[in-house]
Amino acid sequence: MEPLPKLKIPERILLGAGPTNVSARVLEALGRGVVGHLDPEFLQLMEALKSLLREAFCSKNPITFAISGTGSAAQEASLVNLIEQDDEVVIGVNGLFGSRLAEMADRFGARAHKVEVEWGRIIEVEQIEAALKRCRKPKLVAVVHAETSTGVHQPYVPEMAELAHRYGALMVLDVVTSLGCVPVEVDQWQIDAAYSCSQKGLGAPPGLGPLTVSERALATIRSRKTKCRSWYLDIGLLERYWGQERLYHHTAPINLNYALYEALRLVLEEGLAARWERHRKSAAALQAGLGALGLKLAAPEGFRLPQLTSIRVPDGIDEAKVRAQLLKRFNTEIGAGLGPLKGRIWRIGLMADNANPQRVLSLLDALEEILREAGLEIPRGSPRLAAESMIAEGLN
Ligand SMILES: *Cc1c(COP(=O)(O)O)cnc(C)c1O
């Protein structure tokens, strides 16, 4: 037999909406030998992971672990464990991931009261309250903290949680793109379930979905009248594997857990506050450079995510061609628009290690070259200089 072609994977610069690049230390951890999922060393690692995840979530919740599955699995886990047939739920929908929350809640038998606003806008506290008032007995409120499809940073999360509790409901927060990039304070904000992923702000490979659940949510789970509709994502069963009982449930993706552990060590060695600040500064530099290129940002000012910048595609520019050129000539991936924003925006992620000046400057150089060739009129003044002056300011 002819030898089959060897695995060929380029080393890309990942500046899209995730996954982001994984550092050498994390890749090294990923490549360690497999051990049994009940090996005493692995059990110790699971304990350590729980405590590092608690730090990352700013929470003391005993039930904090990584779902074996991507962010979407952790998203489903949050809803499927809390929802029973015909429960009323309030879901904020201002982008793709909010609409997924509503779709999932519907599949799990809930009656979803959607608070729908135009993609790219924030959800107001009053809108959540109006929806809560329409419910007879609301079970939960769920919103997306960092709406990756639009680049919008949802404010007022603590206010929404306070409101949910006042109406006897739980607060669920999607922090898939926010954990590790911007403040996520689960306990202080009184969040009852928050879920994330491994491959965005935490800088690990995709495949795990960190999840944390409050005592209040746990009480709801424990007092269910019906069994959780998902066996794989049943927190009651997972608790017996991740807790002291160590009861076999499924085979954890061993190596992904090594990688997440190492990625979390990097996050906490840097310190959460320093990491949030690094993301903020990198985005400020990127946005200054984009402004000098004459590009307009899509998310409203004051509500822009540092880790994900959405940019309006200028008239007359072929959106997909610019991305293709970036990939082909500069080995760099950026994201496209989704749903109603398809063809209308680009999405640039600066997550984990990629939130750094070098990445910003090389991307701006590449974009300038490609956009000039595409015939875009670029105002006088250098994007690189605009970004550099922001970086210099940040260093003061
Ligand atoms: C990426 C993302 C998800 C889904 O995560 P996967 O790891 O792709 O399954 C959910 N919510 C938000 C806000 C996201 O950005």
Side-chain angles (χ1 to χ4, degrees), residues 70-72 75 97 100 144 146 148 174 176-177 195 197 199-200:
T70 66
S72 308
Q75 185 173 11
F97 294 101
R100 281 193 183 172
V144 177
T148 324
D174 177 314
V176 178
T177 298
Y195 57 88
C197 74
Q199 78 275 14
K200 295 178 185 175

Side-chain angles (χ1 to χ4, degrees), residues 22 25-39 41-53 64-70 197-199 202-211 232 238 241-242 246 250-266:
V22 174
R25 245 174 74 177
V26 173
L27 283 177
E28 191 274 330
L30 184 72
R32 299 279 185 92
V34 178
V35 296
H37 68 280
L38 293 172
D39 187 289
E41 294 293 332
F42 188 70
L43 297 181
Q44 261 191 29
L45 175 74
M46 288 168 82
E47 283 307 294
L49 256 178
K50 289 195 286 187
S51 96
L52 298 190
L53 282 173
T64 302
F65 55 78
I67 294 281
S68 302
T70 66
C197 74
S198 47
Q199 78 275 14
L202 299 180
L208 291 176
L211 172 71
Y232 190 65
L238 290 169
Y241 174 43
W242 279 86
R246 305 296 179 193
H250 68 281
T251 308
I254 304 294
N255 297 54
L256 288 176
N257 282 284
Y258 303 161
L260 181 61
Y261 175 75
E262 198 58 28
L264 285 166
R265 278 186 67 213
L266 282 164

Side-chain angles (χ1 to χ4, degrees), residues 130-375:
L132 281 167
K133 280 191 175 140
R134 286 198 295 276
C135 299
R136 205 173 41 83
K137 196 168 169 265
K139 187 69 167 284
L140 58 87
V141 172
V143 296
V144 177
H145 187 216
E147 184 43 88
T148 324
S149 61
T150 62
V152 166
H153 194 168
Q154 175 63 45
Y156 321 129
V157 171
E159 290 84 348
M160 287 179 182
E162 206 263 323
L163 198 60
H165 295 147
R166 197 166 351 122
Y167 282 80
L170 299 166
M171 183 73 199
V172 176
L173 190 64
D174 177 314
V175 297
V176 178
T177 298
S178 43
L179 195 66
C181 301
V182 293
V184 173
E185 315 242 12
V186 168
D187 285 1
Q188 204 186 315
W189 299 352
Q190 306 244 9
I191 306 303
D192 297 297
Y195 57 88
S196 192
C197 74
S198 47
Q199 78 275 14
K200 295 178 185 175
L202 299 180
L208 291 176
L211 172 71
T212 188
V213 173
S214 74
E215 296 285 357
R216 194 186 326 226
L218 197 58
T220 302
I221 293 170
R222 294 229 164 95
S223 61
R224 287 181 65 99
K225 292 187 198 71
T226 55
K227 278 189 195 170
C228 174
R229 290 270 180 94
S230 167
W231 178 86
Y232 190 65
L233 299 173
D234 184 330
I235 289 176
L237 299 178
L238 290 169
E239 195 191 349
R240 301 176 72 184
Y241 174 43
W242 279 86
Q244 287 315 308
E245 216 175 324
R246 305 296 179 193
L247 192 70
Y248 167 65
H249 178 262
H250 68 281
T251 308
I254 304 294
N255 297 54
L256 288 176
N257 282 284
Y258 303 161
L260 181 61
Y261 175 75
E262 198 58 28
L264 285 166
R265 278 186 67 213
L266 282 164
V267 169
L268 298 168
E269 279 169 13
E270 178 177 12
L272 287 173
R275 196 171 173 95
W276 299 333
E277 185 61 8
R278 176 164 62 77
H279 281 81
R280 196 187 61 73
K281 282 180 186 163
S282 306
L286 174 69
Q287 292 172 8
L290 294 171
L293 273 171
L295 298 173
K296 299 266 177 289
L297 303 185
E301 188 162 8
F303 307 105
R304 291 175 183 151
L305 290 169
Q307 68 275 35
L308 192 97
T309 298
S310 52
I311 306 161
R312 293 193 191 288
V313 177
D315 288 339
I317 296 294
D318 182 338
E319 180 276 322
K321 196 166 159 200
V322 170
R323 278 186 296 113
Q325 291 278 309
L326 270 173
L327 193 66
K328 190 162 157 226
R329 287 160 51 190
F330 297 93
N331 208 25
T332 300
E333 176 182 279
I334 65 167
L338 303 168
L341 297 175
K342 188 170 189 282
R344 295 174 48 202
I345 62 167
W346 291 300
R347 295 180 302 149
I348 297 181
L350 296 175
M351 300 175 188
D353 281 2
N354 285 342
N356 77 64
Q358 215 38 60
R359 287 285 199 243
V360 171
L361 296 177
S362 340
L363 176 68
L364 287 170
D365 288 345
L367 267 180
E368 182 174 3
E369 193 174 318
I370 292 171
L371 289 172
R372 266 189 209 286
E373 286 171 16

